[in-house]
Structures are given as structure tokens and as C-alpha cells.
Amino acid sequence: MHPPEIELNELDGIIERHKNGKWELIPLLQDVQATYGYIPPESITPIAEALNLYPSQVQGVVTFYSGFSLKPKGKYVCRVCRGTACHVKGSRSILRLMKRELELEEGETSPDYRFTLETVACLGACFLAPTMMINRDYFGKLSPTKLSSVLGEYRQKGNNKNG
Amino acid sequence: MDKLSSIGQLEWFRSRILFRKEKGIIEVHVCMTGCRAYGAAGVLEALNQEVKSQGLSKQVEIRSTGCHGFCAKAPVIAIEPMGIQYQEVEPDDAGDIVMKTLKENRMIDRLAYHAPKTFQPVFYRNQIPFYAKQERRVLANCGRIDPTNIEHYIAAGGYRALIKALSNMGPEQVIDEVQAAKLRGRGGAGFPTGLKWKFASQSEGRPKYVVCNADEGDPGAFMDRAILEGDPHAVVEGMLLGAYAMGSEYGFIYVREEYPIAIDHLNIAIAQAEELGLLGENILGTGFNFNLSLRLGAGAFVCGEETALMASIEGRRGMPRARPPFPAQAGIDGKPTNINNVETWANVPLIVNNGAGWYGEVGTENSKGTKIFSLAGKVNNTGLVEVPIGTTVKDVIFNIGGGIPKGRQFKAVQMGGPAGGCVPAQFLNLSIDYDTVQSIGAIMGSGGMVVLDENNCMVEIARFFLSFTQSESCGKCAPCRLGTTQLLEILTRITRGEGRMEDIDTIRELGQTLTEASLCGLGQACPKPALSTLRYFINEYEDHIKEHRCAGAVCDSMVISACQHACPAGIDVPNYVAAIADGEYEKSVEIIRERNPFPAVCGRICIHPCEYKCRRGELDQAVAIRALKRMASDWYFKNIGPQRNPFPVNKKEKIAIVGAGPAGLTCAYFLVKMGYKTTVYEAQSVAGGMLGIAVPEFRLPRPVIEEEIQYIKIVVLKSCTTHRLMPNTHSTTYSTRDTVPFLLPPVPRPASTSVYPAKTKTSQEFTTALIF
């Protein structure tokens, strides 16, 4: 299956918003990522031209920060916290379970672009360890049962929206 | 809202808010930050509906606030002004809360905190031990005000410090006050804030920048997040004061993108402050200009380092550079820049408002004030804790934190994240301040405290931190780039059971090199977790290397299963539990007997270390291994009984065992199984030893012991006999030439036994059941 089609003409608007500010490269890239879910590689040249940079500089920034991705991600990005508190409370098992449930390895996206599995250094929700985040929602004190019910909900959601 | 054009107008604005506030209103504070992950939004909605439907809209205000601190019991709500706190509230409880507590002033038992030992309900927040020992200064507003409403902050006395500074104090005076308060950087390094400000203020060059470092990347730390989410204006006011003191016009808050709520609240706070004229041009008509904007991090831990952070603000790769020049001389855009941590900024209004004298009332000689710690890991009361600097580790973990869950043993507390080290149990009375903690090889750091218990492997923890720093190393300087990779490789090797003894020295040497040669703090501090665990837990490293044992039963390659690894008898727990799951009880008892001939006894009185180590127990509850064993063995004796064919004897050596206690009988069982002819001598009239004599009947019924002994007697029948042996007999009966004696003297009094034959007094020939 192909990733969802994207409309590159929104890019001009984003570039326009940031073109004249100072030090706008990272905020611009963040906007692009928020709009498309990733940084389309074909957007790098126009961004570089608008900000008067070399494409290599833009590429360098994109690849330096783990927050930017050059590959499209799934509709639901699951980020399993691998911080210290989660680690000592068994997030290894949670990650293992997630891999099994979603049949994905870390950093992979499912072929139907529904789920992406990632790990994150710390979500700052250590009191709820072990935790994970799906898009902008936190799920804490995970156990195998809770994990499958949360994933079940998201699977259901995806199904409903796809008809 | 019109802009406030003078200091007087702000005071007037405050009085107007306070005047309009209706008296006698009950406020219900629902944490809508941390607790949101646990369904606080549903609780808030349900409360709102209940209040409306029960007609209390005029008397009750439901307020969404920041973190209450007691995150372990999320979602938490507080009812003010009574000071009631309810925990683990669900939407269904809303009806009861409104009906009983708000209307009839009755308490609800099931929602209250319960004292751990007495199980008595505690309804009032200040009586809960978690809060009683804290000194909440920076967090005073957190959990009380609505962080998205500037009026709440102003009503609580907010921006008063700004008024005081703008009207009565010159910039130097503000710096002097901060310096006199001995405020030190809360981000971890502990550099005196006043001094830093002085450098920046003395620096030539325009414009000057002030930056708030909210790139809280340390795994295990979340206090900055709580402040930003619960009281963002405190940070804004602190930055305003700093900008005024240093003569700066522009400010940035660099916040991680992983904190969406903090970003929202900061955006709202900045917009509201701008609207009121507290940010922007000519603030309160005093001619002071300050513009503040947000910059979002993009997921790079190294950007918490100040020079990397500045590079990131400028839109470049976040790589650190060598210092000097320090940011105070040449920072963002080559201009003077001052960077402080969130918590440091939030302390500033308190100092300016109340004076350095008040501020220094708590703390130690060199580190004044309070520090917020985020308590996480293996501790009962996880959450945010604010205590005076100098409080002991024990106070924080046991008195406030409520100790270690599930009855496990405290092993160490990891402080300071990947740049810190661990504080082991012998330092529980250590006072937590910058210098003392540093002296034992850890750091106070930004305040993350991750508690570790006996089920954690210290080598694995060191490896975990190294894998983090290795992947977060920016790669600019060789010591860090290569050193972290090598260190990680060595530590991984040790956790795989492939380590060598010389690895320990290599870690020390490499660590030293990294500390001395790395460019920035990340590289300099990254060997600390490894070095500090080496310092206090060297035996764990040696166990891994020499014995291939992992005390915490964590390291996969040497631990087939944590339960089997933990079992002193090494019973194949996963297989017998699986057999029970399949209904094959006989098979499961056979598996247990491979290693231990007393399944029914151990099913009752074993201390079950397997359950303490059970991996499932990390997530919810351990598998009830002992109870399963008891069930299977009871089934066995009921349905099959102690019958079985005896083991054949095929070896010519004869063995004498003195003492028919559990150890002697086990010894006999396995020796006969190997084919030796064995004789057991016992001074008592019955076999069983301590099992029958010392363990009370209600713990271990006599028939159970008899059945087990019966079984052992049957299987070893032909070859094994028990002889009565009188104390004080210097017997030669068992010391014939072809007999090897095993002496298992009585457990409570091994020294008083006098049955040892004269010629067998060497240690190899004695086997003592238990050594006291």
C-alpha cells in the first residue's frame, strides 16, 4: 500500500509564513512535519532556497534531530517510553509486547500506514511508568491487559474511519 | 482586556479580581496535567455536570489545575478551602462527591488516602505523610490555580515581585538579592545564579538574550514539566526579573516538543501576559521592554547543553562548542546570553518578593532554598516532592515516598539521570545537597530520583544509561563519540555473560579519559553511571563475569527465566507452571522433584524468591508460584499418594548422613537417586528435623511432612535406613572404611554437637545445613 497522497502546495504557505523571520528553519520544519506527518524529501530544496541555505544544511538539520522523519509515518504513532523509571518498571516487556501485537520493529510503520512503533528517551510521565504515547495521548501504568485494550480501541477507531 | 499602563494599574487589577471573587465559594481542583493520562478529563466533565444538575453552580467552582504532586494516586482532586484531598477518583464518583462532600459536608471513605499500616482514612491533605514533610514553595501555586488563567496567578500574588523590582529596586539590587540568596542553578550544575547574572549584565553588546532551558531530557525527571504545566507565569515572571536585572530585551523558552500540555500552557501564558502589557514594549509604563517567545526542541537530548541549545535556537544542528567564550560573553548570535533552568527561573520571584533572608531560612550553608525532586521507579508514592535542600535520602524515599512496594528491599537510588550516579543503601542518611551528593560519586542533578530495588541489576542499569548517552552523543568530539560506543560495548558484553575481569579496569580508564577529554557535559558525565555502580556494586560486576549470575535476574543471556534464576534450588519453575496450566499435575510435581524432594512443604513455607523476581510482577502482580506448587503437590498426594518404585543402587560406596532434617533427607534422596547406598542417622525419634520441630503446625501441618518423608523413605527404601543416634556418642558405626560421612548438625546449635568423629574434622568433610 502506498502512503497517503500529499498536497505539496500547502508547503508554499508554510514557507511564506517563516520566510522573513530570524532562525526560522527549525520552526518551519516543525510546521511541515505537523502538516504532512513527515518531512517530504522533495520539500528540502524549496525550503533551502526560501531561507537562503544550502539543501545540505537543511538535510543536516533534518537528520540531526530525532523529531524529524524523512519517511511517512502511520496514522497512530505509538511511542513507548524507555526512560529510566519506565525501564526499571518493565518497559522492556511492554516494548516486546508492542512489537508482537503490531508485528513491527522499532521505527517501522505498518504496511497500511496505520501504526508506527517508536521508542522515546523519556516522556516525563515517570510517575505513571511504564508509559507510552499514541499521538498526543498518554497511557500509563501499562500492563499486558491494558496494552491490548488500548491497542484494540485504536484498531477499532481505524476500522470505523476507514468504513 | 486593556493593557495595564502603570504599576498602580496592576495593583488595581489585582484588587478588582479579589473583590469580584465571591466569598464562600467551594473550589474543586482537578489536576488536568499529569492526571490527564489517567482519565482526569472524564472526572472534570462528570463533576461539572453533577454540580449543574444538583444546582450548585453558584456555590461551587470546578477548576482545572496543574499537578498536585501525588501522582501515584492519580487522578487526584482537592476541595478547598477545606483542604480535603481525594484520590483515584473516577467519573462515577462525581455524584457522591457533589452530593455527600460538597452538599452535606460528609467525607467519602473509599476515595480518601489510607494510612499504610492502620488503614485509617486520611481526608485532609496536610495530614497525609506525603505532604506533611514537604515545603512547597515553588510548587505552592501548582495544583491550586488554573494555569491557563493569568487572573488566578495575579490573585495568588503573582507579578508582585515584578512590581517590587520595577518600583523599588535597581537592576543591580535584583542581582545582589539573588546572589545573597545563594540560589544555585537547578538544572544540575549548581552554578551560583547571581554570579552568572552579574557576568551577563557586565557584558557589553546588544541585544542581550535570556533563555529558559526547558529541554528537560533526563530520563526520570519531570519537575520542569510540572512547573510549566501548572504555573507557567512563575517562569515568565522569573524571566522578566532576570531580563530587568541583566538589561535584556529578548527571551526564549526552549521547550521539548514531547510536552504538548506545557507548550499549550506556555503559549497561553505568554499571550495573556502580552495582552495585559506585562510582556512587550514599555512594560507597565516603566520603559522596560521584553519580548518572550517559545522555541520547540526537536528531540535531541544534547540540546539541554547550553551551547548546543543556542545552536538549536539559531536553527542549526544542536552541537555543543568549546567554552570559553561563555554564553555571557558570546551566546546567541554572538551576543551576551544568560541561560537558566525552569526551576531556577521559578525561584526568582520568591527571592525578590520575600527577600534573601526568608529564602535562606531553609537549606544548607552553601545551598539555600528548596529543591523539587521527581520520585519515580520502585517507590510507593511516585510524584513530585519539594523539600528543603539538605533533607536526607531516607526522608525523601521512606517518609515521603512511602518506601518500596511489594515488600522488596531497597537497593539504591539513581540521582541525576545519565550524568549522575547511584546512592546505595549505606548512604540513606546522606543529606541531599549539591556538594554532599557529589562527594559520593552521584549528583543532585536536575532532581530525578529513580528508586531501584533488589530486582534491578546495576550492571544493566549502567548499560541502559550508556546506550542512552551513546545514541544521544552528537558525534562532534572523538572521546565522546568513540568512548561511549566502547563503554557500551564492554557493558553489553558483561551483561551477556561474556565479560572479562580486565574489563573492569578498562571501564575505569575509559571513564577517566571521557571525563577529561570530552567537549561538553554530556561526554564528561556519561561514564558516571558506570563508575558509580562499579564503586558500590563491584560484586555484581564480578558475579556477572565469573559466575554468570545476575542478582536482579534481569540480564537475558544468563537468566533463562527470572524465577528459576532466583530459586535457591534452581527448580525449573516455568516448566512446572506450564505443566500445571495444562492440567498435568503429576508431571509438574516430577519437575519440582528433579531439584527438590519436598514440593508440598515448599508449597507452604518457601519464602518464594521466585515470586519476588517474577517479571510479571513488574507490570502488575507476580504469578502465585508457591500457591500453584502447593496445589499441584496436594493433588499429587491425594490422587497418587507416596507410592513409587525405589531407585536402584548400583554403586559400591556407602554413605552415612547424620541428621534427618530437610537437608539430610534431600541429600539422601539425591545420593540414592545417583545409586549410592545411604544410611541416615538421627538423634530424634522422628525424621524431619526443623520442619517438625521449629515450624508451627498452622504453617506446616504434620501430615504434610509425614507424607513427604514417607515418599522419600519409599523411593530410597532399600538403600536407606535411619538409625537413632544419641548425642555425645563418639560413634564409629558409620566411619568404616568404605563409608563417606555427611554431617548435618542440628541447625540452631551446630557448635554444641559432639558427634563429629575425630578424624573428619577437616572442612571438606563437613557440610553444615545452615550457617549462622
Side-chain angles (χ1 to χ4, degrees), chain B residues 459-500:
Chain B
V459 186
E460 152 66 11
I461 291 288
R463 191 207 60 80
F464 167 79
F465 279 118
L466 250 301
S467 79
F468 174 77
T469 33
Q470 191 266 344
S471 72
E472 293 294 341
S473 168
C474 77
K476 184 172 180 177
C477 72
C480 177
R481 185 179 65 238
L482 304 175
T484 50
T485 312
Q486 289 304 321
L487 268 182
L488 178 61
E489 216 165 84
I490 296 171
L491 287 166
T492 311
R493 188 159 75 212
I494 298 177
T495 55
R496 288 218 176 117
E498 297 156 4
R500 301 184 284 260

Coordinates of all heavy atoms in Angstrom, one line a residue, chain B residues 459-500:
Chain B
V459 N 24.5 -3.6 36.8 CA 25.3 -3.6 35.5 C 24.4 -3.2 34.4 O 24.7 -2.4 33.5 CB 25.9 -4.9 35.3 CG1 26.8 -4.9 34.1 CG2 26.7 -5.4 36.5
E460 N 23.2 -3.7 34.4 CA 22.2 -3.5 33.4 C 21.8 -2.0 33.4 O 21.6 -1.4 32.3 CB 21.0 -4.5 33.5 CG 19.7 -4.0 33.0 CD 19.6 -3.9 31.5 OE1 20.6 -4.3 30.8 OE2 18.7 -3.3 31.0
I461 N 21.7 -1.4 34.6 CA 21.3 0.0 34.7 C 22.4 0.8 34.1 O 22.1 1.8 33.3 CB 21.1 0.4 36.2 CG1 19.8 -0.2 36.7 CG2 21.0 1.9 36.3 CD1 18.5 0.3 36.2
A462 N 23.7 0.5 34.4 CA 24.8 1.2 33.8 C 24.7 1.1 32.2 O 24.9 2.1 31.5 CB 26.1 0.7 34.3
R463 N 24.5 -0.1 31.8 CA 24.4 -0.3 30.3 C 23.3 0.5 29.7 O 23.4 1.1 28.7 CB 24.2 -1.8 30.0 CG 24.4 -2.2 28.6 CD 23.5 -3.4 28.2 NE 22.1 -3.2 28.4 CZ 21.3 -2.6 27.6 NH1 21.8 -2.1 26.4 NH2 20.1 -2.4 27.8
F464 N 22.2 0.5 30.4 CA 21.0 1.3 30.0 C 21.3 2.7 29.7 O 21.0 3.3 28.7 CB 19.9 1.1 31.0 CG 18.7 2.1 30.8 CD1 17.8 1.8 29.8 CD2 18.6 3.2 31.5 CE1 16.7 2.7 29.6 CE2 17.6 4.1 31.3 CZ 16.6 3.9 30.4
F465 N 22.0 3.3 30.7 CA 22.4 4.8 30.6 C 23.4 5.0 29.5 O 23.3 6.0 28.8 CB 22.9 5.3 31.9 CG 21.8 5.7 32.9 CD1 21.7 5.1 34.1 CD2 20.9 6.6 32.5 CE1 20.7 5.4 35.0 CE2 19.9 7.0 33.4 CZ 19.8 6.3 34.6
L466 N 24.3 4.1 29.4 CA 25.3 4.2 28.3 C 24.7 4.1 26.9 O 25.0 4.8 26.0 CB 26.4 3.2 28.5 CG 27.8 3.7 28.9 CD1 28.3 4.8 27.9 CD2 27.7 4.4 30.2
S467 N 23.7 3.2 26.8 CA 23.0 3.1 25.5 C 22.3 4.4 25.2 O 22.2 4.8 24.0 CB 22.1 1.9 25.4 OG 20.9 2.2 26.1
F468 N 21.8 5.0 26.2 CA 21.1 6.3 26.0 C 22.1 7.4 25.6 O 22.0 8.1 24.6 CB 20.4 6.7 27.3 CG 19.8 8.1 27.3 CD1 18.6 8.3 26.6 CD2 20.4 9.2 27.9 CE1 18.1 9.6 26.5 CE2 19.9 10.4 27.9 CZ 18.7 10.6 27.2
T469 N 23.2 7.6 26.4 CA 24.2 8.6 26.0 C 24.9 8.3 24.7 O 25.2 9.2 23.9 CB 25.3 8.8 27.1 OG1 25.5 7.6 27.7 CG2 24.8 9.8 28.2
Q470 N 25.1 7.0 24.4 CA 25.7 6.7 23.2 C 24.8 7.1 22.0 O 25.3 7.7 21.0 CB 26.0 5.2 23.1 CG 26.9 4.7 22.0 CD 26.1 4.3 20.8 OE1 24.9 4.0 20.9 NE2 26.7 4.2 19.6
S471 N 23.5 6.9 22.1 CA 22.7 7.2 21.0 C 22.5 8.7 20.9 O 22.1 9.3 19.9 CB 21.4 6.5 21.0 OG 20.6 7.0 22.0
E472 N 22.6 9.4 22.1 CA 22.4 10.9 22.1 C 23.6 11.7 21.9 O 23.6 12.9 21.7 CB 21.7 11.3 23.4 CG 20.3 10.8 23.6 CD 19.3 11.3 22.6 OE1 19.6 12.4 22.0 OE2 18.2 10.7 22.4
S473 N 24.8 11.0 21.9 CA 26.0 11.8 21.6 C 26.0 12.4 20.2 O 25.6 11.7 19.3 CB 27.2 10.8 21.7 OG 28.4 11.4 21.2
C474 N 26.3 13.7 20.2 CA 26.2 14.4 18.9 C 27.2 14.0 17.9 O 27.1 14.2 16.7 CB 26.1 15.9 19.0 SG 27.7 16.6 19.3
G475 N 28.3 13.4 18.4 CA 29.3 12.9 17.5 C 30.4 13.9 17.1 O 31.3 13.6 16.2
K476 N 30.4 15.1 17.7 CA 31.3 16.1 17.3 C 32.7 15.8 17.8 O 33.7 15.9 17.0 CB 30.9 17.5 17.8 CG 31.7 18.6 17.4 CD 31.1 19.9 17.8 CE 32.0 21.1 17.3 NZ 31.3 22.4 17.6
C477 N 32.9 15.4 19.1 CA 34.2 15.2 19.6 C 34.5 13.7 19.7 O 33.6 12.9 20.1 CB 34.4 15.9 20.9 SG 33.6 15.2 22.3
A478 N 35.7 13.3 19.4 CA 36.0 11.9 19.3 C 35.9 11.1 20.7 O 35.4 10.0 20.7 CB 37.4 11.7 18.7
P479 N 36.3 11.7 21.8 CA 36.3 11.0 23.1 C 34.9 10.5 23.3 O 34.6 9.3 23.7 CB 36.7 12.0 24.1 CG 37.5 13.0 23.4 CD 37.0 13.0 22.0
C480 N 33.9 11.4 23.1 CA 32.5 11.0 23.4 C 32.0 10.1 22.4 O 31.4 9.0 22.7 CB 31.7 12.3 23.5 SG 30.0 12.1 23.8
R481 N 32.2 10.4 21.1 CA 31.6 9.5 20.1 C 32.2 8.1 20.2 O 31.4 7.1 20.1 CB 32.0 10.1 18.7 CG 31.4 9.4 17.5 CD 31.7 10.0 16.2 NE 33.1 10.0 15.9 CZ 33.9 11.0 15.7 NH1 33.4 12.2 15.8 NH2 35.2 10.8 15.4
L482 N 33.5 8.0 20.3 CA 34.1 6.6 20.3 C 34.0 6.0 21.7 O 33.8 4.8 21.9 CB 35.5 6.7 19.9 CG 35.8 7.3 18.5 CD1 37.2 7.4 18.2 CD2 35.1 6.5 17.5
G483 N 34.2 6.9 22.7 CA 34.3 6.4 24.1 C 32.9 5.8 24.6 O 32.9 4.7 25.1
T484 N 31.8 6.5 24.2 CA 30.5 5.9 24.6 C 30.3 4.6 23.9 O 29.8 3.6 24.5 CB 29.4 6.9 24.3 OG1 29.5 7.3 23.0 CG2 29.4 8.1 25.2
T485 N 30.7 4.5 22.7 CA 30.5 3.3 21.9 C 31.2 2.1 22.6 O 30.7 1.0 22.7 CB 30.9 3.4 20.5 OG1 30.3 4.6 20.0 CG2 30.4 2.3 19.6
Q486 N 32.5 2.4 22.9 CA 33.3 1.3 23.5 C 32.8 0.9 24.9 O 32.7 -0.3 25.2 CB 34.8 1.8 23.7 CG 35.5 2.0 22.4 CD 35.6 0.7 21.6 OE1 35.7 -0.4 22.2 NE2 35.4 0.8 20.3
L487 N 32.4 1.9 25.7 CA 31.9 1.6 27.0 C 30.6 0.8 26.9 O 30.5 -0.2 27.6 CB 31.6 2.9 27.8 CG 32.6 3.5 28.7 CD1 32.1 4.8 29.3 CD2 33.1 2.5 29.7
L488 N 29.8 1.2 26.0 CA 28.5 0.4 25.8 C 28.8 -1.0 25.4 O 28.2 -1.9 25.9 CB 27.7 1.1 24.8 CG 26.4 0.4 24.4 CD1 25.5 0.3 25.7 CD2 25.6 1.1 23.3
E489 N 29.8 -1.2 24.5 CA 30.2 -2.5 24.0 C 30.6 -3.4 25.2 O 30.2 -4.5 25.3 CB 31.3 -2.4 23.0 CG 31.2 -3.4 21.9 CD 32.1 -3.0 20.8 OE1 33.3 -3.3 20.8 OE2 31.6 -2.3 19.8
I490 N 31.5 -2.8 26.1 CA 32.0 -3.6 27.2 C 30.9 -3.9 28.1 O 30.8 -5.1 28.6 CB 33.1 -2.8 27.9 CG1 34.3 -2.5 27.0 CG2 33.5 -3.5 29.2 CD1 35.3 -1.5 27.6
L491 N 30.0 -2.9 28.5 CA 29.0 -3.2 29.4 C 28.0 -4.2 28.8 O 27.5 -5.1 29.5 CB 28.2 -1.9 29.8 CG 29.0 -1.0 30.7 CD1 28.4 0.4 30.7 CD2 29.1 -1.6 32.1
T492 N 27.7 -4.1 27.5 CA 26.8 -5.1 26.9 C 27.4 -6.5 27.0 O 26.7 -7.5 27.3 CB 26.6 -4.7 25.4 OG1 26.2 -3.4 25.4 CG2 25.5 -5.6 24.8
R493 N 28.7 -6.5 26.8 CA 29.4 -7.8 26.8 C 29.3 -8.4 28.2 O 29.0 -9.6 28.4 CB 30.9 -7.6 26.5 CG 31.7 -8.8 26.4 CD 33.0 -8.4 25.6 NE 33.9 -7.7 26.4 CZ 34.8 -6.8 25.9 NH1 34.7 -6.5 24.6 NH2 35.6 -6.2 26.7
I494 N 29.4 -7.6 29.3 CA 29.3 -8.1 30.6 C 27.9 -8.6 30.9 O 27.7 -9.7 31.4 CB 29.7 -7.1 31.7 CG1 31.2 -6.7 31.5 CG2 29.5 -7.6 33.1 CD1 31.7 -5.6 32.4
T495 N 26.9 -7.9 30.5 CA 25.5 -8.3 30.7 C 25.2 -9.6 29.9 O 24.2 -10.2 30.2 CB 24.5 -7.2 30.4 OG1 24.7 -6.8 29.0 CG2 24.6 -6.0 31.3
R496 N 26.0 -9.8 28.9 CA 25.7 -11.1 28.1 C 26.5 -12.3 28.7 O 26.4 -13.4 28.1 CB 26.2 -10.9 26.7 CG 25.3 -10.0 25.9 CD 25.2 -10.5 24.5 NE 24.2 -9.6 23.8 CZ 24.6 -8.9 22.7 NH1 25.8 -8.9 22.3 NH2 23.7 -8.1 22.1
G497 N 27.2 -12.0 29.8 CA 28.0 -13.1 30.4 C 29.3 -13.4 29.6 O 29.9 -14.5 29.8
E498 N 29.7 -12.4 28.8 CA 30.9 -12.7 28.0 C 32.0 -11.8 28.5 O 33.0 -11.5 27.8 CB 30.7 -12.4 26.5 CG 29.7 -13.4 25.9 CD 29.0 -12.8 24.7 OE1 29.4 -11.7 24.2 OE2 28.1 -13.5 24.2
G499 N 31.8 -11.2 29.7 CA 32.8 -10.2 30.2 C 34.1 -10.8 30.6 O 34.2 -12.1 30.9
R500 N 35.1 -10.0 30.8 CA 36.4 -10.5 31.3 C 36.8 -9.6 32.5 O 36.3 -8.5 32.5 CB 37.5 -10.3 30.2 CG 37.2 -11.1 28.9 CD 38.3 -11.0 27.9 NE 38.4 -9.7 27.3 CZ 37.9 -9.4 26.1 NH1 37.3 -10.4 25.4 NH2 38.0 -8.2 25.5

